[in-house]
Structure formats: structure tokens, C-alpha cells
């Protein structure tokens, strides 16, 4: 079994209290239940908006620069994710497809080392 990250991407201005209705909540809860029943879910987590991020960067002199905001300058960032323990990329993509449908958002699937 290999672990995979299934990451949900949202626009920076995404507000779940406005964008997510009861149907989406049921779909996401159902997906979580399905993952647990299949024994593939290792961890799941939602992230606060990217405005809450603090970025740290090591400088050549050994100092660490700390700045408010995300490290990457982008219009979208990861808003939540699952860590799954599945047989292969094909199985991870099957779950990724279900995540994209349930969350109504782009999904990235990546294996861990």
C-alpha cells in the first residue's frame, strides 16, 4: 500500500459559509464515510483561509524570514486534503474523482515518498 495526498484547491476568496450548501456537506460526509468503510483514509483535514498562513524561508546566512501570508503567490491554494493508503495511483485517482465531485472543486493527487 502507498500513501497519497488528495488535495482540494479553492480560490483565495472562497467562503464555505456561502459556497457550500447542505447537499455538498452531505456529499463530503458520504465520501468520508465511504473512505473509512473501505479502510483507506489515514487522515483528513480542512485548512483555514490562506490569509491565515505564515510563511518561513531559510536565508543563506542561516536566518529565517517570517512573513504573513502564503508562500506561493497564486489565485488558488489548498483548502483541505485527505491522506489515503491505497494500492496504487489508479485507486488514488478513483478516490480523487469522487473528491472532485463531492467538493465541486479541482483536486490534486500525489504519492508520498
Amino acid at each position: 500500500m502507498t500513501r497519497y495526498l488528495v488535495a482540494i484547491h479553492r480560490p483565495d476568496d472562497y467562503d464555505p459559509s456561502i459556497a457550500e450548501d447542505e447537499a455538498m456537506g452531505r456529499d463530503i460526509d458520504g465520501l468520508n464515510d465511504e473512505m473509512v468503510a473501505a479502510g483507506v483514509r489515514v487522515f483528513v483535514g480542512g485548512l483555514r483561509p490562506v490569509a491565515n498562513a505564515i510563511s518561513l524561508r531559510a536565508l543563506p546566512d542561516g536566518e529565517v524570514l517570517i512573513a504573513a501570508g502564503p508562500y506561493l503567490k497564486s489565485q488558488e491554494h489548498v483548502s483541505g486534503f485527505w491522506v489515503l493508503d491505497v494500492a496504487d495511483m489508479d485507486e488514488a485517482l478513483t478516490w480523487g474523482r469522487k473528491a472532485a465531485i463531492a467538493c465541486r472543486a479541482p483536486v490534486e493527487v500525489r504519492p508520498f515518498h
Side-chain angles (χ1 to χ4, degrees), residues 6-8 23-41 44 81-82 84 91-105 107:
V6 178
I8 307 302
M24 185 189 298
R26 282 192 305 273
D27 290 348
I28 293 169
D29 289 346
L31 177 58
N32 276 303
D33 292 345
E34 187 180 353
M35 288 175 173
V36 169
V40 300
R41 194 179 87 181
V44 63
F81 62 93
W82 288 271
L84 305 180
E91 187 177 356
L93 290 173
T94 296
W95 290 109
R97 284 183 194 93
K98 292 179 181 193
I101 292 167
C103 296
R104 295 141 176 90
V107 170

Side-chain angles (χ1 to χ4, degrees), residues 12-75:
D12 287 350
D13 62 354
Y14 184 80
D15 183 347
S17 67
I18 295 170
E20 296 180 10
D21 59 12
E22 288 182 33
M24 185 189 298
R26 282 192 305 273
D27 290 348
I28 293 169
D29 289 346
L31 177 58
N32 276 303
D33 292 345
E34 187 180 353
M35 288 175 173
V36 169
V40 300
R41 194 179 87 181
V42 176
F43 182 83
V44 63
L47 299 172
R48 294 199 180 271
V50 73
N52 294 281
I54 304 292
S55 300
L56 295 87
R57 182 182 307 193
L59 301 175
D61 64 2
E63 293 294 317
V64 176
L65 177 65
I66 300 174
Y71 170 70
L72 295 175
K73 304 302 177 203
S74 175
Q75 298 293 319

